[in-house]
């Protein structure tokens, strides 16, 4: 079966440099993510054959539902992997929103369920449950949601955290949006095995990824279920390996050591097990210093931890020639990964680097079906050529 490739929609802004923050702390790019730019980005993803775009959620970004709904009219086939926080809405409201989105977009909604990794951020939204409590509630939420979508009549449910009486969706989404879910803690594994369609992991070396997938497969088997699996990575792909690593060096060289130090201090306080694993890959930034070169942060062939020096969440990138990046993707795909959610700085330009350089190599290897590409490029007022970005003052290099 062909793998699925998705891109990222940075609703907090974009940049030619790495953006610090995330995972409970503020972040913003010097290329504003207004609607015009997001339309350009969505168009670039669609033209380059990406199936969907992932949206973030949190204090630092725009609302995922509203943003993606505004992009439906200017795209044709692109799907939207919308972030949903169970603690911030009722299951019935989520079911209604998903049904409306599917109906109006002609079935282009996917859901990324985000339990909420940081208590201080959750409290800002009015959610005061502990981490374990959030996972308990998430399981109840997804249980109710699945019952609503089964359309077997009114749902009555009394759980530890959630209760509904006579809940029934007026419209059932068609198709039912697949549920993507990530997490590295025992509580996260239980919820994923019981309710997710696709389990997501961040970009660790293949051996560690394989161990995590085996863990979830075991839990899913016990629950009588089978899941798909996906990975979240950044990418820097160029014609040659030297060009790719030169770009990684540029990104690294533009980092302020004080920003790295502040970011690592903040991320060290994270409650997320996945974030702890990300920091461990570069030893909390210990290998970064004056004069550091990008290769010093390569922890596996073509796997670079430089992004995680300042960015919370996904902190690794595939760096190399188009052929080398295709090699690494093939290696990960052999582990049983079905979905690859990628991104790069800046996101419009990097979508073209990947689409024009790596994608044909994946097709040649049989990892990606040729007919899954968008044969007819979308050309409209929202999608200028990549060359435009060099001169447009709004998105000039910073």
């Amino acid at each position: 079966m062909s793998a699925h490739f998705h891109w990222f929609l940075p609703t907090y802004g974009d940049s030619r440099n790495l953006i610090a923050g995330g995972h409970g702390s503020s972040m913003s790019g010097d290329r504003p993510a207004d609607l015009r730019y997001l339309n350009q980005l969505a168009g670039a993803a669609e033209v380059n054959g990406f199936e969907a775009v992932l949206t973030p959620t949190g204090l630092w970004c725009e609302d995922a539902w509203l943003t993606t709904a505004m992009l439906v009219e200017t795209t044709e086939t692109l799907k939207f992997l919308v972030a949903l926080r169970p603690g911030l809405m009722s299951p019935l409201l989520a079911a209604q929103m998903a049904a409306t989105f599917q109906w109006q977009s002609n079935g282009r909604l996917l859901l990324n369920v985000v339990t909420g990794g940081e208590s201080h951020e959750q409290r800002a939204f009015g959610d005061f449950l502990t981490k374990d409590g959030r996972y308990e509630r998430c399981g109840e939420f997804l249980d109710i949601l699945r019952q609503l979508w089964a359309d077997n009549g009114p749902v009555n449910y009394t759980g530890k955290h959630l209760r509904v009486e006579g809940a029934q969706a007026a419209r059932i989404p068609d198709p039912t949006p697949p549920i993507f879910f990530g997490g590295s803690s025992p509580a996260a594994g239980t919820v994923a095995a019981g309710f997710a369609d696709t389990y997501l992991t961040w970009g660790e070396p293949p051996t560690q990824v394989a161990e995590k997938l085996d863990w979830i497969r075991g839990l899913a088997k016990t629950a009588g279920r089978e899941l798909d699996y996906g990975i979240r990575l950044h990418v820097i792909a160029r014609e040659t390996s030297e060009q790719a690593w030169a770009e990684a060096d540029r990104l690294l060289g533009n980092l302020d050591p004080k920003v790295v130090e502040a970011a690592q201090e903040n991320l060290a306080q994270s409650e997320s097990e996945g974030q702890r694993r990300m920091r461990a890959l570069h030893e909390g930034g210990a290998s970064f210093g004056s004069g550091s070169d990008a290769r010093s942060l390569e922890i596996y062939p073509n796997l670079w931890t430089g992004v995680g020096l300042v960015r919370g969440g996904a902190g690794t990138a595939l760096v190399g020639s188009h052929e080398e990046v295709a090699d690494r993707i093939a290696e990960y795909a052999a582990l049983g990964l079905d979905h690859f959610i990628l991104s790069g700085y800046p996101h419009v330009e990097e979508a073209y680097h990947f689409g024009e350089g790596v994608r044909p190599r994946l097709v040649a290897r049989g990892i990606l079906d040729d007919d899954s590409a968008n044969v007819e490029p979308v050309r409209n007022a929202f999608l200028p050529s990549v060359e435009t970005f060099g001169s447009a003052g709004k998105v000039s290099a910073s």
Side-chain angles (χ1 to χ4, degrees):
M1 292 180 63
S2 175
H4 305 267
F5 285 81
H6 314 287
W7 200 237
F8 186 69
L9 202 67
T11 59
Y12 44 79
D14 207 350
S15 180
R16 293 183 184 274
N17 296 309
L18 300 179
I19 298 176
H23 223 262
S25 63
S26 63
M27 64 191 304
S28 62
D30 44 46
R31 184 182 287 185
D34 58 16
L35 186 58
R36 184 175 182 181
Y37 180 68
L38 292 177
N39 272 299
Q40 293 170 356
L41 209 166
E46 190 166 60
V47 165
N48 286 286
F50 290 101
E51 181 177 333
V53 285
L54 171 69
T55 58
T57 178
L59 289 170
W60 65 92
C61 52
E62 303 298 325
D63 180 76
W65 288 93
L66 290 174
T67 300
T68 53
M70 288 187 282
L71 298 176
V72 167
E73 278 294 287
T74 55
T75 52
E76 297 176 3
T77 61
L78 189 69
K79 298 177 183 179
F80 299 95
L81 183 45
V82 175
L84 181 156
R85 291 206 179 196
L88 306 185
M89 66 175 67
S90 74
L92 180 56
L93 178 59
Q96 290 175 329
M97 292 170 67
T100 299
F101 200 113
Q102 285 297 62
W103 179 43
Q104 300 292 4
S105 71
N106 212 11
R108 290 195 276 153
L109 174 68
L110 316 172
L111 289 176
N112 180 37
V113 175
V114 180
T115 305
E118 309 303 334
S119 291
H120 70 88
E121 183 182 36
Q122 292 299 119
R123 290 194 295 268
F125 283 105
D127 178 13
F128 288 82
L129 286 183
T130 63
K131 178 181 176 180
D132 286 344
R134 292 195 296 271
Y135 277 111
E136 290 173 348
R137 179 183 57 198
C138 183
E140 295 177 7
F141 181 99
L142 293 176
D143 192 358
I144 295 170
L145 192 65
R146 292 248 184 233
Q147 290 188 49
L148 289 168
W149 285 343
D151 197 23
N152 292 323
V155 176
N156 297 298
Y157 186 100
T158 300
K160 181 178 179 180
H161 303 282
L162 297 178
R163 177 181 176 184
V164 298
E165 293 182 2
Q168 189 166 9
R171 180 188 296 276
I172 305 300
D174 183 21
T176 299
I179 293 172
F180 290 66
F181 187 90
S184 300
S185 68
T190 299
V191 175
F195 300 102
D197 296 298
T198 298
Y199 174 77
L200 294 177
T201 181
W202 285 331
E204 299 177 53
T207 299
Q208 292 171 246
V209 171
E211 291 172 353
K212 188 180 286 187
L213 299 191
D214 286 344
W215 166 55
I216 297 295
R217 287 190 185 104
L219 294 175
K221 183 177 181 181
T222 299
R225 303 182 70 242
E226 291 187 7
L227 278 61
D228 287 340
Y229 297 90
I231 191 167
R232 174 76 177 93
L233 288 157
H234 305 278
V235 63
I236 303 173
R238 296 293 186 271
E239 287 290 341
T240 68
S241 181
E242 292 76 16
Q243 290 171 342
W245 284 106
E247 175 61 11
D249 271 323
R250 186 193 68 80
L251 291 171
L252 191 65
N254 285 341
L255 290 181
D256 183 337
K258 292 182 179 179
V259 173
V260 174
E261 182 180 1
Q264 289 305 306
E265 287 180 358
N266 177 66
L267 293 174
Q269 308 304 313
S270 174
E271 299 174 350
S272 167
E273 174 62 16
Q275 186 61 71
R276 184 196 66 76
R277 292 169 69 111
M278 281 284 99
R279 288 189 74 248
L281 295 178
H282 54 67
E283 300 176 331
S287 54
F288 173 77
S290 177
S292 294
D293 70 311
R295 288 277 191 177
S296 67
L297 291 163
E298 184 184 21
I299 59 169
Y300 187 81
N302 309 110
L303 186 63
W304 185 57
T305 62
V307 180
L309 291 175
V310 293
R311 186 193 192 278
T316 52
L318 297 180
V319 181
S321 68
H322 298 145
E323 195 69 34
E324 288 171 336
V325 170
D327 286 342
R328 293 289 78 73
I329 288 174
E331 185 174 1
Y332 279 113
L335 302 178
L337 290 164
D338 310 286
H339 295 263
F340 292 81
I341 304 177
L342 308 175
S343 57
Y345 297 90
H347 288 73
V348 171
E349 290 89 327
E350 287 297 334
Y352 279 92
H353 280 298
F354 186 89
E356 295 174 349
V358 181
R359 182 185 176 83
R361 289 164 170 80
L362 297 175
V363 171
R365 294 165 184 245
I367 295 172
L368 195 56
D369 288 340
D370 192 24
D371 61 4
S372 62
N374 295 305
V375 179
E376 294 295 332
V378 178
R379 299 295 181 194
N380 57 38
F382 297 106
L383 184 60
S385 65
V386 172
E387 288 76 11
T388 301
F389 291 97
S391 56
K394 184 175 182 181
V395 289
S396 61
S398 57

